Amino acid sequence: RIGDAGMAALAPALARCRALRRLDLNGNMLFAEGGRCLASVLPRCSSLLHLDLRGNHIADQGVTALAQALVQSNGRLRYLDLSRVAMTDEGAGSMAAALDTCRCMTHLKVGGNRIAAAGAGKIAQSVTRFNVLEELDLSGMAAGGAALVIPALPMCNAVAKLDLSGCMMGDEAARELSCVLRECDELASLDLSGNDLSDSGAAALASAVPRCRGLVLLRLNDNRISEVGAARMAEEL
């Protein structure tokens, strides 16, 4: 756990690592200053493709600095994990604007943050431009925010893994999701655990899941689905 002081010491060395392709700093007790320090050298890491900052409390200030660095990096990054970094709508908006330059992004993880409708709407607009996005983690997003992302999913036609766990979307969102799932041809893994789904939501999903021919993993734990809803899904499957 290097902390902000350790990040300040490490940054000059990172700037000289022109061949560095993967940087994993998850759980290192970085705060906003650490995020800004890393951002100051990222544009010089010209080969970096994979950045993992999950579990660091860099907050909106650190996320905004990183977003500006991504723009300066000309969209090289392929994998970005900003899960559980204390990001709110403000940081999500800054990152969404930067992601417009990252058209080759294949993995985007922003779960476990405090993103509501305003930030989610901007992220939804950005991800529709990712033709090669394979994994999208929006877990823990506010219910209204998750609902804004659902209509954008068919345009993310390469997504194979989608995590919407803990969004508390409810049955209405499940019905909306069931309509778009039929257009998600590449989807192989869908996590809807912890979404306050009842038998009504399960019935809506039951009609759509069989049409997702590539789906191999569906998580529905920690919902309110009874044996009636389970039976309905079993009939459809």
Side-chain angles (χ1 to χ4, degrees), residues 81-97:
D81 194 339
L82 291 175
S83 306
R84 307 188 312 279
V85 296
M87 175 172 29
T88 69
D89 285 347
E90 179 184 346
S94 299
M95 185 53 64

Side-chain angles (χ1 to χ4, degrees), residues 45 172 227 231:
C45 298
E172 182 58 36
E227 61 272 17

Side-chain angles (χ1 to χ4, degrees), residues 27-48:
N28 264 295
M29 295 190 69
L30 301 181
F31 293 89
E33 183 56 34
R36 286 192 291 264
C37 187
L38 174 61
S40 69
V41 299
L42 275 186
R44 283 177 276 175
C45 298
S46 55
S47 298
L48 189 66

Side-chain angles (χ1 to χ4, degrees), residues 23-27 30 38 51-58 66 80-85:
L23 180 58
D24 187 342
L25 292 169
N26 81 82
L30 301 181
L38 174 61
L51 179 60
D52 186 347
L53 289 171
R54 61 196 151 106
N56 290 290
H57 204 284
I58 61 174
L66 287 169
L80 179 60
D81 194 339
L82 291 175
S83 306
R84 307 188 312 279
V85 296

Side-chain angles (χ1 to χ4, degrees), residues 169-184:
M169 293 189 300
D171 292 333
E172 182 58 36
R175 283 187 281 273
E176 295 175 9
L177 182 60
S178 68
C179 294
V180 305
L181 281 180
R182 305 170 192 188
E183 302 176 56
C184 300

